[in-house]
Amino acid sequence: MKKILLSIIMVAFTFTLVACVGGERGQGGGGKLVEWYELSPETEFDTETPVTIHFWHRMGKENVEMVTKWVAEFKEMYPNITVVLTKAGTDYNQLAEKVSLSIPAGNTPDIAESYPDHISRYAIAKAPLALNNFISHPTLGYSEEELEDFLPSLWAEGTSYDNEGTILSLPFTKSSEGYFYNKTYFDQHSLNGKTYTELVEAGLTWETLFEIAQDIKSREPEAIPFGYDSEDNMFITGSKQWGAPYTGYNAETGRGEVLFNNAQSKEMIKYFKDKVDKNLMLTRTLNAEAFTSDIFKTGEKLYMYVGSTGGTRYAYDASSFSKGVRVGVAPLPHFEGKERAQIQQGPNINLFKQDNEQRMIAAWLFAKYMISAEKTAEYAIPSGYAPIRYSAYETETWTKYVAGIKENPTTLAEAQNKLVKEAIDMFRNNGDIFFTSAVFNLSSKTRLEVGPLLVKVFSYKATSAEDLNTYIDREYQNTYNFITN
């Protein structure tokens, strides 16, 4: 079992090991981030004694309704387990703050939606439950075949907290970013003898994307052809693709490091600033905090954007569909001659240590239920989040959904269903280019600050190249100092 887990980890994750000032990973750079809970192989779950567990989340109405249905189904399987759902925040940051406050108060939930950065914060207080001995338990855990059913990069994300293979989270609703484009418009216009659509399908580079944007601009001077919804994702993915260090681990100490304050990163951000200054692109903050997909759906002025595959359905609305707009989705563009890469995202679930072992087992059983093949397929269909297990794509739920896809949609719902499947296929077929950044006690703070840094640079009206370089140097240093001090 341990051998299987370690091989999955090695296949899925490779970290850049470089030296800089940073924060702790693990215990002083080595050892387990939290001790593995010693669940005896002989332990059984008591199906008679009532037990209540709490699941904290930040899900919207439709997803809450789905999970509420799962709770009822789970209750039929385990009548003595009561699952209480609590919306503890409207976004992940609010949820993480509430969980963090619950730790010293001694009232943590049993399960929470979480990102690795959040769990690394909780682990400072040793609050998360290490799942290794639950996973390997002979009756309550997973078989080797079941472990191999999880998409490797998604499973391995839960092992990224130390060098000992400690598993602190399970994949839940996973996504990446997608490049969404107005296929109707792209079919109608050409560049260098190929339609825009053909250029996308050939494997789009950033250079070609901005050639398309410039071509659109030549016809439509008021257009800002391209949008990017998440500034922090743009900074992190742009860094990875450009080859600019962002965060990492020191090979000698194992310490997490904040690395973005470097010359390569500054060149990357200037590349995109040039496009902003030419009105070829904008971001969500530059769009008055509105998603750039909101402009995209008008069918005018903005014809392509990068957004979460978890929000795929929002690429359409009734108005755009009725105007004849049809949407395509592809992997993110990459720089000519450089690495293809796009960020792996979407929440995991993690469990917390409790005084009652049976309560922790109950939480574990419900967590397993939520990430079963049938449930992960069921969750994916209305959203665009990808099923996390290979067998999910063979379930009746998924195969029935795929069979109902209309190649030439005649209704908004049919168009959304088709695009969701295409976005999930894109996710499933490109796992080799997904990455996650290093996780340590400053990684969450770093992510929160690099997005605003990017916006500051994009918004700055430089009087000269020297002025711009001076401004970028100063803002990079100020941001770095704020994060590390």
PDB file of all heavy atoms in Angstrom, residues 179 194 196-209 330-336 340:
ATOM      1  N   TYR A 179      -9.543  27.854 -21.806  1.00  0.00           N
ATOM      2  CA  TYR A 179      -9.559  28.966 -22.759  1.00  0.00           C
ATOM      3  C   TYR A 179     -10.876  28.863 -23.522  1.00  0.00           C
ATOM      4  O   TYR A 179     -11.091  27.925 -24.298  1.00  0.00           O
ATOM      5  CB  TYR A 179      -8.362  28.865 -23.696  1.00  0.00           C
ATOM      6  CG  TYR A 179      -8.418  29.795 -24.898  1.00  0.00           C
ATOM      7  CD1 TYR A 179      -8.112  31.150 -24.769  1.00  0.00           C
ATOM      8  CD2 TYR A 179      -8.752  29.314 -26.157  1.00  0.00           C
ATOM      9  CE1 TYR A 179      -8.156  31.998 -25.874  1.00  0.00           C
ATOM     10  CE2 TYR A 179      -8.796  30.146 -27.268  1.00  0.00           C
ATOM     11  CZ  TYR A 179      -8.504  31.495 -27.116  1.00  0.00           C
ATOM     12  OH  TYR A 179      -8.545  32.329 -28.203  1.00  0.00           O
ATOM     13  N   LYS A 194      -5.650  30.696 -42.095  1.00  0.00           N
ATOM     14  CA  LYS A 194      -6.389  29.741 -41.273  1.00  0.00           C
ATOM     15  C   LYS A 194      -7.442  30.473 -40.461  1.00  0.00           C
ATOM     16  O   LYS A 194      -7.220  31.618 -40.031  1.00  0.00           O
ATOM     17  CB  LYS A 194      -5.438  29.004 -40.319  1.00  0.00           C
ATOM     18  CG  LYS A 194      -4.444  28.087 -41.011  1.00  0.00           C
ATOM     19  CD  LYS A 194      -3.610  27.329 -39.979  1.00  0.00           C
ATOM     20  CE  LYS A 194      -2.651  26.367 -40.661  1.00  0.00           C
ATOM     21  NZ  LYS A 194      -1.834  25.616 -39.672  1.00  0.00           N
ATOM     22  N   TYR A 196      -9.560  31.404 -37.171  1.00  0.00           N
ATOM     23  CA  TYR A 196      -9.139  31.474 -35.766  1.00  0.00           C
ATOM     24  C   TYR A 196      -9.331  30.127 -35.080  1.00  0.00           C
ATOM     25  O   TYR A 196      -8.491  29.703 -34.268  1.00  0.00           O
ATOM     26  CB  TYR A 196      -9.965  32.519 -35.014  1.00  0.00           C
ATOM     27  CG  TYR A 196      -9.791  33.963 -35.425  1.00  0.00           C
ATOM     28  CD1 TYR A 196     -10.644  34.941 -34.916  1.00  0.00           C
ATOM     29  CD2 TYR A 196      -8.784  34.375 -36.305  1.00  0.00           C
ATOM     30  CE1 TYR A 196     -10.513  36.279 -35.259  1.00  0.00           C
ATOM     31  CE2 TYR A 196      -8.640  35.705 -36.659  1.00  0.00           C
ATOM     32  CZ  TYR A 196      -9.515  36.658 -36.134  1.00  0.00           C
ATOM     33  OH  TYR A 196      -9.388  37.970 -36.470  1.00  0.00           O
ATOM     34  N   THR A 197     -10.442  29.459 -35.404  1.00  0.00           N
ATOM     35  CA  THR A 197     -10.718  28.157 -34.783  1.00  0.00           C
ATOM     36  C   THR A 197      -9.619  27.159 -35.113  1.00  0.00           C
ATOM     37  O   THR A 197      -9.166  26.401 -34.245  1.00  0.00           O
ATOM     38  CB  THR A 197     -12.074  27.617 -35.249  1.00  0.00           C
ATOM     39  OG1 THR A 197     -13.110  28.526 -34.840  1.00  0.00           O
ATOM     40  CG2 THR A 197     -12.355  26.244 -34.645  1.00  0.00           C
ATOM     41  N   GLU A 198      -9.162  27.152 -36.368  1.00  0.00           N
ATOM     42  CA  GLU A 198      -8.097  26.231 -36.754  1.00  0.00           C
ATOM     43  C   GLU A 198      -6.807  26.542 -36.007  1.00  0.00           C
ATOM     44  O   GLU A 198      -6.063  25.618 -35.633  1.00  0.00           O
ATOM     45  CB  GLU A 198      -7.869  26.315 -38.264  1.00  0.00           C
ATOM     46  CG  GLU A 198      -9.003  25.701 -39.075  1.00  0.00           C
ATOM     47  CD  GLU A 198      -8.853  25.941 -40.567  1.00  0.00           C
ATOM     48  OE1 GLU A 198      -8.282  26.983 -40.949  1.00  0.00           O
ATOM     49  OE2 GLU A 198      -9.315  25.085 -41.351  1.00  0.00           O
ATOM     50  N   LEU A 199      -6.544  27.798 -35.762  1.00  0.00           N
ATOM     51  CA  LEU A 199      -5.356  28.174 -35.005  1.00  0.00           C
ATOM     52  C   LEU A 199      -5.445  27.679 -33.562  1.00  0.00           C
ATOM     53  O   LEU A 199      -4.459  27.213 -32.988  1.00  0.00           O
ATOM     54  CB  LEU A 199      -5.176  29.691 -35.030  1.00  0.00           C
ATOM     55  CG  LEU A 199      -4.833  30.298 -36.397  1.00  0.00           C
ATOM     56  CD1 LEU A 199      -4.884  31.816 -36.342  1.00  0.00           C
ATOM     57  CD2 LEU A 199      -3.458  29.833 -36.868  1.00  0.00           C
ATOM     58  N   VAL A 200      -6.640  27.778 -32.981  1.00  0.00           N
ATOM     59  CA  VAL A 200      -6.847  27.277 -31.624  1.00  0.00           C
ATOM     60  C   VAL A 200      -6.653  25.766 -31.580  1.00  0.00           C
ATOM     61  O   VAL A 200      -5.955  25.224 -30.715  1.00  0.00           O
ATOM     62  CB  VAL A 200      -8.255  27.648 -31.103  1.00  0.00           C
ATOM     63  CG1 VAL A 200      -8.537  26.940 -29.778  1.00  0.00           C
ATOM     64  CG2 VAL A 200      -8.387  29.157 -30.934  1.00  0.00           C
ATOM     65  N   GLU A 201      -7.259  25.080 -32.531  1.00  0.00           N
ATOM     66  CA  GLU A 201      -7.215  23.619 -32.532  1.00  0.00           C
ATOM     67  C   GLU A 201      -5.812  23.092 -32.810  1.00  0.00           C
ATOM     68  O   GLU A 201      -5.489  21.948 -32.445  1.00  0.00           O
ATOM     69  CB  GLU A 201      -8.204  23.084 -33.563  1.00  0.00           C
ATOM     70  CG  GLU A 201      -9.661  23.322 -33.149  1.00  0.00           C
ATOM     71  CD  GLU A 201     -10.658  22.918 -34.216  1.00  0.00           C
ATOM     72  OE1 GLU A 201     -10.229  22.683 -35.371  1.00  0.00           O
ATOM     73  OE2 GLU A 201     -11.865  22.833 -33.897  1.00  0.00           O
ATOM     74  N   ALA A 202      -4.969  23.906 -33.417  1.00  0.00           N
ATOM     75  CA  ALA A 202      -3.583  23.498 -33.689  1.00  0.00           C
ATOM     76  C   ALA A 202      -2.701  23.602 -32.452  1.00  0.00           C
ATOM     77  O   ALA A 202      -1.573  23.098 -32.451  1.00  0.00           O
ATOM     78  CB  ALA A 202      -3.002  24.347 -34.819  1.00  0.00           C
ATOM     79  N   GLY A 203      -3.213  24.226 -31.386  1.00  0.00           N
ATOM     80  CA  GLY A 203      -2.439  24.410 -30.161  1.00  0.00           C
ATOM     81  C   GLY A 203      -2.019  25.856 -30.039  1.00  0.00           C
ATOM     82  O   GLY A 203      -0.992  26.265 -30.576  1.00  0.00           O
ATOM     83  N   LEU A 204      -2.796  26.630 -29.340  1.00  0.00           N
ATOM     84  CA  LEU A 204      -2.635  28.080 -29.334  1.00  0.00           C
ATOM     85  C   LEU A 204      -1.462  28.519 -28.467  1.00  0.00           C
ATOM     86  O   LEU A 204      -1.288  28.048 -27.343  1.00  0.00           O
ATOM     87  CB  LEU A 204      -3.929  28.729 -28.819  1.00  0.00           C
ATOM     88  CG  LEU A 204      -4.108  30.220 -29.066  1.00  0.00           C
ATOM     89  CD1 LEU A 204      -4.165  30.520 -30.557  1.00  0.00           C
ATOM     90  CD2 LEU A 204      -5.381  30.715 -28.380  1.00  0.00           C
ATOM     91  N   THR A 205      -0.662  29.438 -29.009  1.00  0.00           N
ATOM     92  CA  THR A 205       0.371  30.096 -28.210  1.00  0.00           C
ATOM     93  C   THR A 205      -0.116  31.489 -27.840  1.00  0.00           C
ATOM     94  O   THR A 205      -1.029  32.037 -28.455  1.00  0.00           O
ATOM     95  CB  THR A 205       1.687  30.226 -28.993  1.00  0.00           C
ATOM     96  OG1 THR A 205       1.468  31.074 -30.133  1.00  0.00           O
ATOM     97  CG2 THR A 205       2.190  28.863 -29.453  1.00  0.00           C
ATOM     98  N   TRP A 206       0.517  32.064 -26.804  1.00  0.00           N
ATOM     99  CA  TRP A 206       0.164  33.439 -26.437  1.00  0.00           C
ATOM    100  C   TRP A 206       0.475  34.383 -27.597  1.00  0.00           C
ATOM    101  O   TRP A 206      -0.273  35.347 -27.843  1.00  0.00           O
ATOM    102  CB  TRP A 206       0.941  33.869 -25.192  1.00  0.00           C
ATOM    103  CG  TRP A 206       0.459  33.235 -23.924  1.00  0.00           C
ATOM    104  CD1 TRP A 206       1.115  32.319 -23.163  1.00  0.00           C
ATOM    105  CD2 TRP A 206      -0.798  33.481 -23.278  1.00  0.00           C
ATOM    106  NE1 TRP A 206       0.350  31.972 -22.083  1.00  0.00           N
ATOM    107  CE2 TRP A 206      -0.827  32.670 -22.122  1.00  0.00           C
ATOM    108  CE3 TRP A 206      -1.900  34.291 -23.564  1.00  0.00           C
ATOM    109  CZ2 TRP A 206      -1.911  32.652 -21.238  1.00  0.00           C
ATOM    110  CZ3 TRP A 206      -2.986  34.280 -22.702  1.00  0.00           C
ATOM    111  CH2 TRP A 206      -2.987  33.465 -21.552  1.00  0.00           C
ATOM    112  N   GLU A 207       1.546  34.118 -28.307  1.00  0.00           N
ATOM    113  CA  GLU A 207       1.902  34.985 -29.427  1.00  0.00           C
ATOM    114  C   GLU A 207       0.793  34.998 -30.470  1.00  0.00           C
ATOM    115  O   GLU A 207       0.407  36.064 -30.972  1.00  0.00           O
ATOM    116  CB  GLU A 207       3.226  34.511 -30.042  1.00  0.00           C
ATOM    117  CG  GLU A 207       4.449  34.729 -29.154  1.00  0.00           C
ATOM    118  CD  GLU A 207       4.685  33.618 -28.133  1.00  0.00           C
ATOM    119  OE1 GLU A 207       3.833  32.710 -28.016  1.00  0.00           O
ATOM    120  OE2 GLU A 207       5.722  33.655 -27.449  1.00  0.00           O
ATOM    121  N   THR A 208       0.256  33.802 -30.793  1.00  0.00           N
ATOM    122  CA  THR A 208      -0.818  33.730 -31.780  1.00  0.00           C
ATOM    123  C   THR A 208      -2.111  34.322 -31.231  1.00  0.00           C
ATOM    124  O   THR A 208      -2.859  34.991 -31.955  1.00  0.00           O
ATOM    125  CB  THR A 208      -1.046  32.276 -32.218  1.00  0.00           C
ATOM    126  OG1 THR A 208       0.167  31.760 -32.773  1.00  0.00           O
ATOM    127  CG2 THR A 208      -2.145  32.182 -33.254  1.00  0.00           C
ATOM    128  N   LEU A 209      -2.370  34.082 -29.951  1.00  0.00           N
ATOM    129  CA  LEU A 209      -3.574  34.668 -29.355  1.00  0.00           C
ATOM    130  C   LEU A 209      -3.588  36.185 -29.526  1.00  0.00           C
ATOM    131  O   LEU A 209      -4.616  36.777 -29.908  1.00  0.00           O
ATOM    132  CB  LEU A 209      -3.657  34.305 -27.869  1.00  0.00           C
ATOM    133  CG  LEU A 209      -4.866  34.837 -27.093  1.00  0.00           C
ATOM    134  CD1 LEU A 209      -5.238  33.881 -25.963  1.00  0.00           C
ATOM    135  CD2 LEU A 209      -4.632  36.223 -26.498  1.00  0.00           C
ATOM    136  N   ALA A 330     -10.630  25.125 -24.951  1.00  0.00           N
ATOM    137  CA  ALA A 330      -9.345  24.500 -25.261  1.00  0.00           C
ATOM    138  C   ALA A 330      -8.420  24.681 -24.068  1.00  0.00           C
ATOM    139  O   ALA A 330      -8.693  25.478 -23.170  1.00  0.00           O
ATOM    140  CB  ALA A 330      -8.741  25.139 -26.519  1.00  0.00           C
ATOM    141  N   PRO A 331      -7.294  23.949 -24.050  1.00  0.00           N
ATOM    142  CA  PRO A 331      -6.289  24.192 -23.012  1.00  0.00           C
ATOM    143  C   PRO A 331      -5.762  25.620 -23.103  1.00  0.00           C
ATOM    144  O   PRO A 331      -5.896  26.295 -24.127  1.00  0.00           O
ATOM    145  CB  PRO A 331      -5.187  23.175 -23.326  1.00  0.00           C
ATOM    146  CG  PRO A 331      -5.850  22.139 -24.171  1.00  0.00           C
ATOM    147  CD  PRO A 331      -6.909  22.848 -24.942  1.00  0.00           C
ATOM    148  N   LEU A 332      -5.120  26.073 -22.031  1.00  0.00           N
ATOM    149  CA  LEU A 332      -4.567  27.422 -22.020  1.00  0.00           C
ATOM    150  C   LEU A 332      -3.480  27.581 -23.076  1.00  0.00           C
ATOM    151  O   LEU A 332      -2.747  26.637 -23.375  1.00  0.00           O
ATOM    152  CB  LEU A 332      -3.974  27.741 -20.644  1.00  0.00           C
ATOM    153  CG  LEU A 332      -4.881  28.551 -19.706  1.00  0.00           C
ATOM    154  CD1 LEU A 332      -6.158  27.808 -19.412  1.00  0.00           C
ATOM    155  CD2 LEU A 332      -4.141  28.903 -18.429  1.00  0.00           C
ATOM    156  N   PRO A 333      -3.351  28.779 -23.628  1.00  0.00           N
ATOM    157  CA  PRO A 333      -2.219  29.054 -24.511  1.00  0.00           C
ATOM    158  C   PRO A 333      -0.903  28.906 -23.752  1.00  0.00           C
ATOM    159  O   PRO A 333      -0.868  28.964 -22.522  1.00  0.00           O
ATOM    160  CB  PRO A 333      -2.445  30.511 -24.939  1.00  0.00           C
ATOM    161  CG  PRO A 333      -3.886  30.787 -24.669  1.00  0.00           C
ATOM    162  CD  PRO A 333      -4.242  29.942 -23.486  1.00  0.00           C
ATOM    163  N   HIS A 334       0.174  28.745 -24.501  1.00  0.00           N
ATOM    164  CA  HIS A 334       1.503  28.661 -23.911  1.00  0.00           C
ATOM    165  C   HIS A 334       2.443  29.550 -24.712  1.00  0.00           C
ATOM    166  O   HIS A 334       2.103  29.992 -25.824  1.00  0.00           O
ATOM    167  CB  HIS A 334       2.014  27.223 -23.905  1.00  0.00           C
ATOM    168  CG  HIS A 334       2.148  26.620 -25.271  1.00  0.00           C
ATOM    169  ND1 HIS A 334       1.053  26.161 -25.985  1.00  0.00           N
ATOM    170  CD2 HIS A 334       3.225  26.414 -26.075  1.00  0.00           C
ATOM    171  CE1 HIS A 334       1.453  25.689 -27.158  1.00  0.00           C
ATOM    172  NE2 HIS A 334       2.765  25.840 -27.242  1.00  0.00           N
ATOM    173  N   PHE A 335       3.594  29.828 -24.165  1.00  0.00           N
ATOM    174  CA  PHE A 335       4.571  30.637 -24.873  1.00  0.00           C
ATOM    175  C   PHE A 335       5.321  29.780 -25.895  1.00  0.00           C
ATOM    176  O   PHE A 335       5.643  28.621 -25.623  1.00  0.00           O
ATOM    177  CB  PHE A 335       5.562  31.276 -23.897  1.00  0.00           C
ATOM    178  CG  PHE A 335       4.942  32.314 -23.011  1.00  0.00           C
ATOM    179  CD1 PHE A 335       4.672  32.028 -21.682  1.00  0.00           C
ATOM    180  CD2 PHE A 335       4.630  33.568 -23.506  1.00  0.00           C
ATOM    181  CE1 PHE A 335       4.100  32.980 -20.851  1.00  0.00           C
ATOM    182  CE2 PHE A 335       4.055  34.531 -22.691  1.00  0.00           C
ATOM    183  CZ  PHE A 335       3.793  34.238 -21.362  1.00  0.00           C
ATOM    184  N   GLU A 336       5.582  30.372 -27.049  1.00  0.00           N
ATOM    185  CA  GLU A 336       6.306  29.659 -28.099  1.00  0.00           C
ATOM    186  C   GLU A 336       7.633  29.122 -27.564  1.00  0.00           C
ATOM    187  O   GLU A 336       8.444  29.858 -26.996  1.00  0.00           O
ATOM    188  CB  GLU A 336       6.589  30.619 -29.264  1.00  0.00           C
ATOM    189  CG  GLU A 336       7.161  29.948 -30.495  1.00  0.00           C
ATOM    190  CD  GLU A 336       6.129  29.133 -31.259  1.00  0.00           C
ATOM    191  OE1 GLU A 336       4.999  29.620 -31.444  1.00  0.00           O
ATOM    192  OE2 GLU A 336       6.475  27.996 -31.646  1.00  0.00           O
ATOM    193  N   ARG A 340       4.317  23.910 -21.651  1.00  0.00           N
ATOM    194  CA  ARG A 340       2.857  23.953 -21.517  1.00  0.00           C
ATOM    195  C   ARG A 340       2.521  23.664 -20.063  1.00  0.00           C
ATOM    196  O   ARG A 340       3.026  22.707 -19.485  1.00  0.00           O
ATOM    197  CB  ARG A 340       2.184  22.910 -22.408  1.00  0.00           C
ATOM    198  CG  ARG A 340       2.282  23.152 -23.892  1.00  0.00           C
ATOM    199  CD  ARG A 340       1.539  22.058 -24.647  1.00  0.00           C
ATOM    200  NE  ARG A 340       0.114  22.102 -24.357  1.00  0.00           N
ATOM    201  CZ  ARG A 340      -0.676  21.021 -24.235  1.00  0.00           C
ATOM    202  NH1 ARG A 340      -0.156  19.797 -24.323  1.00  0.00           N
ATOM    203  NH2 ARG A 340      -1.962  21.149 -23.985  1.00  0.00           N
TER     204      ARG A 340
END
